[in-house]
Amino acid sequence: MGDAAAAPLAIVATVLVYAAAQRLYTRVRHPLLNPLLVAITALIVLLESSGVEYGKYDRGGRLISYWLGPAVVALGVPLHAQLHEIARRGRAMLASILVGSVVGIVSGTLTAIVLGAPRQVVLSVAPRSVTTPVAMGVAQKLGGIPPLTAVLVISTGVLGAVAGPTLMRLAGVRSRTAWGLAMGSAAHGIGTARAVEQGEVEGATSGLAIGLMGLATAILAPPIVALLLSVFAAR
Amino acid sequence: MKLDGKHLFALARGTLILLAFLYAGNAISSLLRLPLPGSVLGMVMLAAALHLGVVRPEWVRPAADPLIRHMSLLYIPPGVGVMAYFGVIRREWLPLVAAGVVGMVAVMLVVGRLQQAMERRG
């Protein structure tokens, strides 16, 4: 891949792979064939096998992911359309998210400590279930490794988008607002991208959950992680 | 989608409104040192502006709808970025994978079930 052609080639490849993955998913509706998962895997294989570094691919890639900012702002439209449905359940949502944030920080951090992860890795795991910019900021403050946190955030999001719907069907979560809230709080923006496919209520609640979860975790993660580390003293 | 003058104008207007809210959100977030990204702040401000009637839904929808519909596409490049960290992941894969899976499942089940239970009690 020539230097000048790198960005346009990366954009074309990403869009084509995405379109193909979407088409595959409409034909074979299997959760493992989630278009995002398929597209990421295909592009990684493509880059690894052709020896193209990620940095070179990302010259075009960042022109695509730039639009994540405006896309999150755009969620204000379904949020406004569903404002009435959401406001009625506002207090319950705040409570669920607060509990969910604590559960997320404690479960992730404890798992990493129990499995003997070094301190820096434990600190990178803690803010895992929130949107990337918040998670990286929290990891920085805690003394973790921000890029490692970013990787975890993305993987967790993809896992949530792929396994979430099945998980919630098994758990009997049928309320549309509860479904969206769970998706956004466990899998942030990537879960929200899946939730908007489900419907406007799910998409709007999921988008709101990104913000609430990010706020709760940014405030709660530092004291909780400090407490857990002092009790379970990681390496 | 037809791209004649009228649609192009609608698309440009919608995009400019979204960008204005994004950059306003970014500015407020960094000025007040909020632990929230500007985009999330922008989302809440846009919903408020729509609610107050300062912005009309039909002004933003031409840009907002396709962005929301194809949000998965936008996550592909950061997803591919995971390959840059295969080294670290290989060394500590067990605690990383386990913490990710346990945390995701725990949050999703707790939030989903708790929210549903509270809604039913009403």
Side-chain angles (χ1 to χ4, degrees):
Chain A
M1 187 148 71
D3 270 18
L9 261 178
I11 293 174
V12 170
T14 308
V15 173
L16 284 181
V17 168
Y18 170 73
Q22 285 286 6
R23 178 160 287 192
L24 177 69
Y25 186 62
T26 46
R27 289 208 183 151
V28 193
R29 283 228 169 244
H30 192 280
L32 277 181
L33 289 179
N34 173 286
L36 181 61
L37 179 64
V38 169
I40 291 172
T41 314
L43 281 165
I44 289 182
V45 170
L46 196 70
L47 293 180
E48 289 280 2
S49 61
S50 58
V52 176
E53 284 167 18
Y54 175 69
K56 205 162 183 182
Y57 163 80
D58 197 45
R59 275 185 225 164
R62 72 174 73 124
L63 296 178
I64 293 176
S65 50
Y66 168 80
W67 293 95
L68 275 172
V72 172
V73 175
L75 289 171
V77 176
L79 180 59
H80 162 252
Q82 301 297 331
L83 209 56
H84 182 67
E85 287 293 295
I86 290 171
R88 286 200 302 146
R89 303 175 168 89
R91 277 174 62 184
M93 285 183 179
L94 289 180
S96 303
I97 292 280
L98 216 56
V99 174
S101 173
V102 174
V103 166
I105 300 164
V106 172
S107 61
T109 312
L110 268 188
T111 307
I113 293 177
V114 167
L115 292 174
R119 192 185 172 86
Q120 265 207 320
V121 172
V122 173
L123 294 173
S124 312
V125 162
R128 186 219 78 251
S129 70
V130 299
T131 183
T132 319
V134 176
M136 290 179 80
V138 174
Q140 182 96 51
K141 242 195 266 174
L142 288 172
I145 312 160
L148 188 58
T149 303
V151 168
L152 265 168
V153 169
I154 301 280
S155 331
T156 305
V158 174
L159 177 71
V162 172
T166 312
L167 205 59
M168 284 197 275
R169 202 187 55 233
L170 292 177
V173 177
R174 274 176 296 270
S175 149
R176 298 178 70 190
T177 36
W179 201 97
L181 201 72
M183 206 65 170
S185 54
H188 52 90
I190 301 182
T192 302
R194 175 67 183 79
V196 297
E197 283 174 29
Q198 203 77 6
E200 196 179 46
V201 177
E202 288 87 342
T205 345
S206 188
L208 186 67
I210 303 177
L212 295 176
M213 188 75 175
L215 196 59
T217 304
I219 296 167
L220 295 173
I224 294 180
V225 173
L227 182 73
L228 288 175
L229 275 176
S230 68
V231 174
F232 296 94
R235 277 183 275 152
Chain B
M1 188 170 62
K2 280 189 301 179
L3 272 185
D4 54 22
K6 220 169 106 189
H7 286 87
L8 217 52
F9 170 74
L11 191 61
R13 176 168 65 180
T15 307
L16 284 177
I17 295 174
L18 292 178
L19 289 174
F21 276 90
L22 174 64
Y23 287 107
N26 282 342
I28 294 173
S29 175
S30 68
L31 268 176
L32 302 179
R33 295 170 187 270
L34 296 179
L36 266 188
S39 57
V40 171
L41 219 58
M43 167 183 81
V44 175
M45 292 193 300
L46 176 61
L50 289 165
H51 184 67
L52 296 173
V54 183
V55 176
R56 295 231 194 110
E58 62 267 28
W59 295 348
V60 267
R61 287 208 103 119
D65 290 348
L67 273 177
I68 292 174
R69 198 163 51 241
H70 296 292
M71 225 167 130
S72 291
L73 166 68
L74 314 179
Y75 275 106
I76 294 175
V80 175
V82 170
M83 70 182 271
Y85 295 93
F86 277 164
V88 198
I89 299 169
R90 201 164 295 150
R91 256 178 284 132
E92 298 291 342
W93 71 273
L94 182 62
L96 287 175
V97 172
V101 174
V102 171
M104 194 289 287
V105 173
V107 173
M108 193 167 287
L109 292 182
V110 166
V111 173
R113 288 300 298 255
L114 189 61
Q115 177 65 23
Q116 182 163 283
M118 285 193 287
E119 285 175 6
R120 282 187 182 157
R121 254 189 5 193

